[in-house]
Amino acid sequence: MATLPLPQHFTADSVSRIWRVPYQELAQTASQWAQQHQITATVQDQQQVALLLIDVQNTFCQPDFELFVGGRSGRGSIDDNIRLCEFIYRQLGNLTQIIATLDTHQAMQIFHPLFWINPAGEHPAPLTIIQPAAVQTGEWLPSQPQLSAYALYYVQQLALAGKYPLTIWPYHAMLGGIGHALVPAVEAAIFFHSIARSAQPQIITKGDSPLTENYSAIAPEVTTDLKGQVIGRQNDELIECLLKFDKLLIAGQAQSHCVAWTVADLLIAIQKIDPSLASKVYLLSDCTSPVVVAGVVDYTEAANAAYDRFAAAGMNIVKSTEIDL
């Protein structure tokens, strides 16, 4: 189906604001839009296309929230989401299903300040990096002493696997909070798609295990404790779901962390099943940004290197305005 115009209710300035999605009114508008533009239900799609949205939540995408992903421009996720909403509306008739992940946390998790304490009784400041040596020397220890052996094991496992070292993040994506919710403009676009195409979106929570990070929507950073007991599992059902589509489009935040880790895990699965499947994956490069905190950390190069690896494996790096569906 040809690309569509943008519906009148969408405005670019709505992307960086918090507002209530008027579901009933929007449903009526979407139904009329479908009739006007002869948009059919997704059950009639000859080509099955999925759009996977990684953690497009207020906590990462609103300037005054906890982990705003500004990229080097300072407006990263805002501009990403403007393009993302425009893409959803323009490609409405070509998108079979939208799948959205939600980073989901509570206060006592291994990457939050409350989990750790130093000899002075202080919790680490956000963006503190905890290396194995800091745990071995007692510079940082878990605030619950019974987790001391596990804490050392955990940071050592990250190092052995070549993962990012443990970063203490600000409390973010808190379950039940405003930051946990999808960006309203993106939620509205997803809902509009649902009504216009009679398609149920799939919403997936991740990251609720207290003893491991879970950047990837597919698997946690560490899956077992010292005794081999499971603390987090790979989401094989999600892998199966994603790979059943003819085309899989991926966008979201942050490119350097949750997006890159999700795509990396998906690529591992693809290479085990059939490496040629990588060609059905399209990474929307203008709808994602890396973590950049001026003067503190800049993961831009790490994000670019990850995307270079994905391209070399056969995945497609495209802009949302240039992809041909």
Side-chain angles (χ1 to χ4, degrees):
M1 183 175 183
T3 56
L4 299 167
L6 295 176
Q8 191 171 14
H9 72 265
F10 173 73
T11 59
D13 65 359
S14 70
V15 171
S16 59
R17 293 187 288 108
I18 302 296
W19 45 279
R20 182 187 66 83
V21 176
Y23 300 110
Q24 192 59 41
E25 177 184 334
L26 196 59
Q28 294 173 351
T29 302
S31 295
Q32 294 167 358
W33 192 256
Q35 292 178 0
Q36 178 183 350
H37 294 281
Q38 298 181 318
I39 301 170
T40 58
T42 57
V43 293
Q44 299 183 41
D45 286 356
Q46 296 298 310
Q47 176 181 243
Q48 299 282 307
V49 179
L51 174 61
L52 174 63
L53 303 181
I54 307 294
D55 302 356
V56 188
Q57 297 162 266
N58 292 321
T59 199
F60 302 115
C61 300
Q62 303 292 4
D64 294 330
F65 277 64
E66 300 84 6
L67 275 175
F68 173 62
V69 180
R72 286 181 174 174
S73 72
R75 282 183 52 90
S77 58
I78 296 174
D79 292 333
D80 295 338
N81 287 337
I82 292 172
R83 289 184 285 265
L84 176 60
C85 288
E86 291 178 347
F87 176 76
I88 292 172
Y89 288 122
R90 292 192 186 282
Q91 297 290 346
L92 201 74
N94 297 319
L95 298 176
T96 307
Q97 185 171 32
I98 298 177
I99 303 164
T101 71
L102 296 177
D103 211 24
T104 304
H105 305 319
Q106 298 189 65
M108 181 61 81
Q109 298 204 230
I110 201 165
F111 45 79
H112 277 160
L114 185 63
F115 190 94
W116 297 90
I117 199 164
N118 67 13
E122 302 164 329
H123 298 296
L127 301 183
T128 297
I129 303 295
I130 297 183
Q131 301 278 7
V135 183
Q136 289 173 320
T137 61
E139 178 183 351
W140 293 112
L141 294 172
S143 53
Q144 297 184 18
Q146 69 271 24
L147 293 175
S148 295
Y150 176 79
L152 177 58
Y153 164 83
Y154 182 82
V155 293
Q156 288 175 333
Q157 289 299 302
L158 294 179
L160 289 171
K163 306 264 189 180
Y164 287 144
L166 176 64
T167 299
I168 302 304
W169 298 107
Y171 298 105
H172 68 286
M174 299 297 285
L175 180 62
I178 296 173
H180 183 251
L182 289 167
V183 170
V186 176
E187 182 195 0
I190 294 172
F191 181 77
F192 194 87
H193 173 270
S194 300
I195 301 298
R197 304 224 59 205
S198 296
Q200 186 85 301
Q202 185 175 357
I203 308 296
I204 298 168
T205 59
K206 70 177 185 67
D208 57 351
S209 174
L211 296 179
T212 180
E213 298 152 287
N214 210 140
Y215 294 126
S216 170
I218 290 174
E221 301 299 283
V222 175
T223 57
T224 60
D225 64 13
L226 293 84
K227 298 179 180 179
Q229 295 179 329
V230 174
I231 58 173
R233 296 182 183 276
Q234 178 170 290
N235 191 337
D236 293 324
E237 294 81 5
L238 178 58
I239 295 172
E240 182 179 355
C241 170
L242 297 177
L243 294 182
K244 74 181 181 182
F245 291 94
D246 298 309
K247 288 185 178 179
L248 171 63
L249 320 177
I250 302 178
Q253 304 302 333
Q255 180 189 11
S256 53
H257 287 70
C258 296
V259 175
W261 256 227
T262 298
V263 177
D265 282 343
L266 180 62
L267 181 57
I268 290 171
I270 284 173
Q271 290 174 333
K272 289 179 179 177
I273 300 167
D274 178 358
S276 69
L277 294 175
S279 65
K280 68 164 65 179
V281 180
Y282 294 77
L283 307 180
L284 303 184
S285 61
D286 59 344
C287 296
T288 185
S289 292
V291 170
V292 177
V293 179
V296 181
V297 293
D298 185 338
Y299 286 97
T300 302
E301 297 306 322
N304 291 339
Y307 270 46
D308 287 343
R309 292 195 303 273
F310 302 149
M315 293 181 175
N316 305 278
I317 314 298
V318 297
K319 290 185 177 181
S320 62
T321 53
E322 296 175 357
I323 185 171
D324 182 13
L325 296 179

